Amino acid sequence: MSRPRDADYSASAFVIEFKSVGKTYRSLLGNSVKAVEEFSLVVRAGEILGIAGPNGAGKSTLIAMMLGYLRPTTGSVEIDGSSPRHYVERNGVGYLSELVAIPPKWRAQTALVRSATLAGIPDAEIPQRVDYVVDLLGLGEHRDKKVKALSKGNLQRLGLAQALLRDEKILVLDEPTHGLDPLWTQRFRDIVDDLRRPDRTILIASHNLDELQRLADRVAIIDRGRLQRLVSTGYEHAAPAQTRFRIAVAAGHDLVRAAFPQAEEAGRDEFDVTVSSLQQLNSVLGDLIAKGVLIASVVPERSVLEQQFREAVGES
Amino acid sequence: MNRGRLAKYSLWQFRDFVFERGIAIVLIGFLWGYVTFEPMRKMLGPQWTGDQRSPVWGLAIQFSSAVVSLAVLIALNGITSGDRKNGYYRFLFSKPISPVAYYAQMFFVYLVGVLLAMLILSSLLHIILPAFSVLYFLLYVALIYMAMGGIGFFLSVATRYDWVSLAAVWVGARILRAVYGAKNDWRSKAVELLPPVHRVDDVANSLIGNGTAHTSDIVWLLAYGLLFFVAGLVFLRKGSLAD
């Protein structure tokens, strides 16, 4: 399914609303740490929202409040008009936590069967649902292993499998590709793309900006507990941020040098070029291709999101 | 709306109890009983009788009462705080279930588990001491589980160090009552509010021995435990699941 544009968000009913949410941790000695401050955001059905921020920015605290594990010190969170705890107790959510914590003595299969029982899946459907997620996440050869015997990547896949057991309307994935190899990182992206649905909301908290750029419709950049920026990841917003590109050329190097006199040679067959706009880049590349230049790749030096992230976190 | 299937999950909770606590309770109780009674049986020889006039009857009551307290401590250890400490609450409570219902059910499933463990041990004791009534003993187990377990449940919800806190409360209440209970001042009134541990010995003697006990003792012990159990559930409802 393709990404909805901004206009689609305003048309759909919101699902999750953060209203001036704040969370302050207080120690017995009276010391206090503000983990989240004045956070307001509406996340709508059909949207994939990314949450990005440096370590300790407040991402996990925000998710814990959204799932009702923590109570905000100020403000409130609502899911479909209910308190988070109320919503989760009535409907459930698919949740992959940052640290996948499943009792180490359980077997992977047992963890999934227990999870399915708690999720309310009828006995008769449990085997097929478990088989489905085991196949989807490639856990077949690991299903009889104890959780403590699983590698980090396999544990992460088990965590994702239990989150996908039921057809949830809300999915929350906290650092979902942490520990996954490149093959499974790509597979995860395909899975999330397949999960996109008009009535489903997906939140992904990640340090991996490239991942969020590819998957999310919008990304909330938070730092020091505050929402610094809300960035749309669509390339229609890319023009101002992206002016520097690395172009790899298979043939016609001289023509590229002539078209971009300021180009810096970045390595064999690669040039770093600066343009004033995407239109200019496309126009020049069009001319070069017409003249027989073979372009192998064009990669922005920094993605829109990375640029915005650096500015937001640097400015805060 | 979807509801999780908590009743079905009680079978998993019971399985967890058996493997993580029940077997340990039975083994500890058996070994403790063996090293306590077997040497005496050998030493007493024909003087060993199985009735209440047996020289070991008093010891049997004390021993069985102590095993019950230990079993409750083992059973309730980390009943809710363990999931918080290990982060399992994230896995459990993203599902459509109420933590209050989940832990309330677990409390009663563990009661069944403790009763079964005590049934095994008391049946063994009954073999060598036929006057020892398994039924009366199980009534005592249920009463102490509710009294001591209710407080333990509350402490597990409220703190991370529940079994240490429970042991401290249980022993501390005994000591404070012994020191201040007889004085006729505010301190003797204050210790009245402490857990009614001092009633346990009387109840153990009369309930395990004869199947009877003062109603006021039973009500006081049950009410105290239930009050804390309910307070634990309220705390669970109002507080945060995460530390």
Side-chain angles (χ1 to χ4, degrees):
Chain A
M1 192 185 137
S2 62
R3 292 179 179 196
R5 300 175 72 85
D6 287 357
D8 296 327
Y9 302 140
S10 56
S12 55
F14 75 80
V15 174
I16 305 163
E17 186 169 14
F18 296 89
K19 296 176 177 173
S20 302
V21 175
K23 179 68 189 177
T24 303
Y25 292 104
R26 290 193 175 83
S27 73
L28 288 173
L29 299 173
N31 300 324
S32 63
V33 177
K34 284 184 177 173
V36 175
E37 276 185 274
E38 288 292 319
F39 188 93
S40 295
L41 182 65
V42 174
V43 191
R44 298 179 195 285
E47 183 175 11
I48 298 184
L49 179 85
I51 303 174
N55 291 327
K59 300 189 293 291
S60 294
T61 301
L62 208 56
I63 287 174
M65 288 191 286
M66 204 210 91
L67 295 171
Y69 299 155
L70 280 176
R71 288 180 187 274
T73 315
T74 56
S76 64
V77 186
E78 284 184 5
I79 304 179
D80 255 357
S82 303
S83 74
R85 200 62 251 154
H86 189 247
Y87 178 88
V88 174
E89 285 177 18
R90 287 172 71 88
N91 302 284
V93 296
Y95 176 43
L96 168 65
S97 56
E98 182 181 7
L99 299 168
V100 178
I102 297 174
K105 288 181 182 173
W106 292 3
R107 295 186 188 281
Q109 166 87 6
T110 308
L112 292 172
V113 172
R114 283 180 182 237
S115 205
T117 305
L118 286 174
I121 298 173
D123 278 346
E125 292 174 27
I126 288 177
Q128 70 194 61
R129 284 305 299 176
V130 169
D131 287 349
Y132 169 73
V133 292
V134 163
D135 287 347
L136 186 70
L137 275 306
L139 289 166
E141 61 182 300
H142 307 293
R143 65 195 302 168
D144 293 325
K145 286 184 184 168
K146 288 192 172 177
V147 168
K148 65 182 172 189
L150 296 177
S151 67
K152 172 73 188 127
N154 288 334
L155 182 61
Q156 194 74 3
R157 278 148 63 189
L158 177 63
L160 189 56
Q162 63 81 29
L164 300 182
L165 269 169
R166 229 183 48 142
D167 204 19
E168 307 288 4
K169 283 192 172 176
I170 295 177
L171 278 173
V172 181
L173 309 172
D174 196 354
E175 299 293 348
T177 53
H178 183 61
L180 294 185
D181 60 33
L183 206 65
W184 272 100
T185 300
Q186 182 53 50
R187 181 90 182 92
F188 163 77
R189 288 172 185 161
D190 295 342
I191 290 170
V192 172
D193 253 349
D194 290 344
L195 288 168
R196 190 190 279 278
R197 222 170 59 182
D199 65 340
R200 177 178 282 146
T201 306
I202 304 176
L203 268 80
I204 304 173
S206 179
H207 286 110
N208 189 333
L209 297 178
D210 180 48
E211 181 172 284
L212 294 180
Q213 172 79 52
R214 288 165 191 240
L215 291 173
D217 305 308
R218 295 187 299 165
V219 176
I221 299 174
I222 61 173
D223 189 26
R224 298 174 210 185
R226 285 182 175 272
L227 177 63
Q228 303 293 342
R229 280 187 194 191
L230 194 56
V231 181
S232 290
T233 54
Y235 280 94
E236 63 271 26
H237 304 278
Q242 291 180 320
T243 55
R244 201 165 160 78
F245 293 84
R246 176 161 294 179
I247 301 174
V249 179
H253 298 65
D254 290 341
L255 288 170
V256 174
R257 281 190 202 98
F260 295 106
Q262 319 281 301
E264 295 168 21
E265 299 213 17
R268 207 179 68 173
D269 302 332
E270 289 183 335
F271 299 89
D272 284 341
V273 302
T274 304
V275 293
S276 58
S277 66
L278 286 178
Q279 286 78 3
Q280 188 207 354
L281 176 71
N282 278 273
S283 165
V284 175
L285 289 179
D287 290 345
L288 287 172
I289 290 166
K291 288 175 186 169
V293 173
L294 274 179
I295 306 286
S297 69
V298 181
V299 181
E301 185 185 49
R302 284 177 190 160
S303 68
V304 184
L305 185 56
E306 189 180 349
Q307 183 74 26
Q308 297 265 8
F309 184 85
R310 283 171 180 270
E311 288 173 15
V313 171
E315 285 166 6
S316 64
Chain B
M1 187 180 93
N2 173 74
R3 288 285 189 196
R5 296 164 64 233
L6 255 190
K8 175 82 181 176
Y9 198 76
S10 64
L11 297 175
W12 288 109
Q13 290 175 324
F14 183 73
R15 186 180 180 277
D16 289 340
F17 176 85
V18 170
F19 287 107
E20 292 166 13
R21 298 158 201 258
I23 291 172
I25 290 171
V26 171
L27 280 178
I28 292 169
F30 175 77
L31 290 174
W32 192 5
Y34 186 81
V35 298
T36 304
F37 292 108
E38 187 55 20
M40 296 190 79
R41 215 154 72 100
K42 281 187 179 156
M43 191 178 71
L44 289 171
Q47 285 179 286
W48 176 282
T49 57
D51 55 33
Q52 293 197 7
R53 286 166 298 174
S54 167
V56 294
W57 180 255
L59 178 67
I61 299 290
Q62 277 188 351
F63 164 78
S64 55
S65 173
V67 168
V68 173
S69 297
L70 184 69
V72 175
L73 268 182
I74 294 173
L76 271 294
N77 176 30
I79 188 168
T80 75
S81 63
D83 290 339
R84 285 204 311 280
K85 272 188 268 193
N86 294 310
Y88 302 151
Y89 68 90
R90 298 189 193 103
F91 164 79
L92 293 168
F93 303 121
S94 57
K95 309 292 184 292
I97 53 165
S98 150
V100 171
Y102 178 87
Y103 286 118
Q105 174 175 287
M106 188 183 249
F107 181 82
F108 288 105
V109 167
Y110 282 17
L111 166 62
V112 173
V114 169
L115 284 170
L116 278 176
M118 292 299 110
L119 174 66
I120 294 168
L121 290 174
S122 59
S123 298
L124 292 174
L125 191 56
H126 180 75
I127 292 169
I128 57 167
L129 209 60
F132 190 88
S133 164
V134 173
L135 178 65
Y136 295 162
F137 177 65
L138 293 182
L139 284 174
Y140 175 76
V141 172
L143 178 67
I144 295 304
Y145 184 90
M146 290 308 298
M148 195 175 168
I151 300 168
F153 183 82
F154 173 79
L155 291 171
S156 189
V157 173
T159 75
R160 274 173 159 245
Y161 309 101
D162 45 4
W163 79 266
V164 177
S165 315
L166 180 58
V169 166
W170 213 244
V171 175
R174 243 176 215 273
I175 294 170
L176 288 172
R177 274 185 191 280
V179 174
Y180 298 114
K183 294 183 177 172
N184 196 19
D185 58 10
W186 65 271
R187 287 173 295 189
S188 66
K189 290 187 175 63
V191 294
E192 282 299 312
L193 297 173
L194 292 171
V197 187
H198 63 298
R199 294 173 190 251
V200 171
D201 290 341
D202 290 343
V203 172
N205 279 317
S206 56
L207 193 54
I208 300 174
N210 315 310
T212 59
H214 289 298
T215 311
S216 62
D217 286 349
I218 291 179
V219 168
W220 186 238
L221 279 166
L222 267 180
Y224 209 93
L226 274 174
L227 185 74
F228 273 88
F229 175 63
V230 171
L233 295 179
V234 171
F235 213 86
L236 207 51
R237 178 87 257 172
K238 301 286 180 194
S240 291
L241 287 167
D243 276 334

